Amino acid sequence: MKGRWLWVIISANLITLVALIFVYPDLMISPGPLIKGHAELATDCFACHTPLRGASTQRCTTCHAPAGIGVRTTMGVLIAAPSVAGKTPMTAPRKTAFHQELTEQNCMACHSDHAGPKLTQHSRKPFSHQLLRAETRDRCESCHRAPTDTLHRQIKGECAQCHSSTAWKPASFEHDKFFVLDKDHNASCATCHSTGDFRKYTCYGCHEHTPANVLRKHRKEGIQNFENCVKCHRSADGEPERGEGGRSEGDRKRERRD
């Protein structure tokens, strides 16, 4: 008899608990306060969540039209850059809008609007460029402002030649590993990379560097294959570091003297 009443009490408590979860989910199971923009929905969990299924993109897009994300507010007002003061929304530059370039509309891939149990937890997850269409990933300038330092002002090629989309810094390319830009070689990029493709270079056009002169000089030294100049010449210090067969230019000169 006592056991049956115990199960009745436990069952009643469980039913009450489940009912409270559905009636007051913001008090019972909320992982933390909402971001400022969604503060008015603090007691309306089902504005974003489907019962027993969690938040869904379909609920998000009832307020945030995909075509207007990053362009207009939910009230239809044009979004202006926050750093521009004294200008109307129509004359100020807009924030970067890239949501229209995503491979799919999946709001939860980046956003979690609850602050969570930790004060340091952010409401936005790390963004992955893999969420963008392939053709968009190749157009960095569509979202990012071009650097204005002396080096980047010379470069008109693809950012991916030196940088990765996982992080802008550090750059994946270090020029000194291939050729040290010192002395007379501290020239503009276009001097050696005349085509704009920084994976290709030419040493011709400066000093005595003409195909005929280089051919004659290298054959005189017994070098037949010299298409890749930086394989031997790593800087402007004169003698090449390594020649054919792993021997330096100095090694070959000493052999000739002996």
Side-chain angles (χ1 to χ4, degrees):
M1 190 69 176
K2 290 182 180 180
R4 184 167 60 181
W5 277 108
L6 180 62
W7 279 110
V8 169
I9 293 172
I10 293 174
S11 299
N13 285 333
L14 287 175
I15 293 171
T16 302
L17 181 63
V18 172
L20 287 173
I21 289 175
F22 278 90
V23 177
Y24 302 108
D26 55 302
L27 299 177
M28 300 297 292
I29 58 175
S30 174
L34 291 172
I35 60 172
K36 184 178 179 181
H38 287 162
E40 62 185 32
L41 301 175
T43 60
D44 186 9
C45 299
F46 299 120
C48 301
H49 294 266
T50 302
L52 304 178
R53 299 185 64 182
S56 66
T57 296
Q58 289 71 26
R59 295 291 179 98
C60 298
T61 54
T62 57
C63 295
H64 303 278
I69 297 176
V71 179
R72 295 182 181 277
T73 67
T74 55
M75 303 300 293
V77 179
L78 195 68
I79 297 176
S83 59
V84 179
K87 293 187 177 183
T88 65
M90 292 302 295
T91 59
R94 294 197 298 268
K95 290 182 179 179
T96 298
F98 62 88
H99 289 78
Q100 297 77 15
E101 302 295 330
L102 298 174
T103 55
E104 62 176 331
Q105 294 297 332
N106 182 4
C107 304
M108 276 58 68
C110 296
H111 298 276
S112 176
D113 288 352
H114 288 280
K118 296 181 181 179
L119 295 176
T120 56
Q121 184 172 340
H122 298 291
S123 63
R124 183 175 295 171
K125 301 175 184 178
F127 174 74
S128 171
H129 286 77
Q130 297 304 312
L131 296 171
L132 295 169
R133 298 190 184 101
E135 60 271 19
T136 304
R137 293 198 299 268
D138 294 335
R139 293 186 287 106
C140 304
E141 71 283 357
S142 63
C143 291
H144 298 279
R145 190 177 294 117
T148 58
D149 58 273
T150 304
L151 172 63
H152 287 88
R153 280 201 300 267
Q154 305 177 55
I155 299 174
K156 303 299 181 183
E158 300 174 358
C159 304
Q161 291 184 119
C162 299
H163 297 276
S164 168
S165 61
T166 56
W168 177 257
K169 293 181 179 180
S172 59
F173 178 77
E174 293 183 28
H175 205 288
D176 286 357
K177 288 184 177 180
F178 297 89
F179 192 87
V180 180
L181 296 175
D182 56 3
K183 298 181 179 179
D184 294 334
H185 288 85
N186 190 15
S188 65
C189 302
T191 301
C192 301
H193 305 283
S194 56
T195 63
D197 185 347
F198 293 93
R199 291 165 294 193
K200 300 177 181 179
Y201 71 94
T202 178
C203 294
Y204 300 130
C206 296
H207 321 303
E208 74 282 4
H209 294 327
T210 62
N213 288 341
V214 171
L215 177 64
R216 182 170 56 255
K217 181 175 181 179
H218 282 74
R219 284 185 174 174
K220 183 178 179 181
E221 297 291 339
I223 302 171
Q224 300 299 322
N225 183 12
F226 52 88
E227 293 180 358
N228 186 2
C229 301
V230 298
K231 184 177 180 180
C232 298
H233 302 275
R234 300 285 183 174
S235 70
D237 287 335
E239 292 187 357
E241 293 182 2
R242 287 290 167 192
E244 292 181 339
R247 297 177 301 159
S248 69
E249 181 68 12
D251 293 336
R252 288 195 297 275
K253 287 184 177 179
R254 282 191 293 272
E255 290 174 2
R256 287 196 295 270
R257 286 198 301 269
D258 296 338

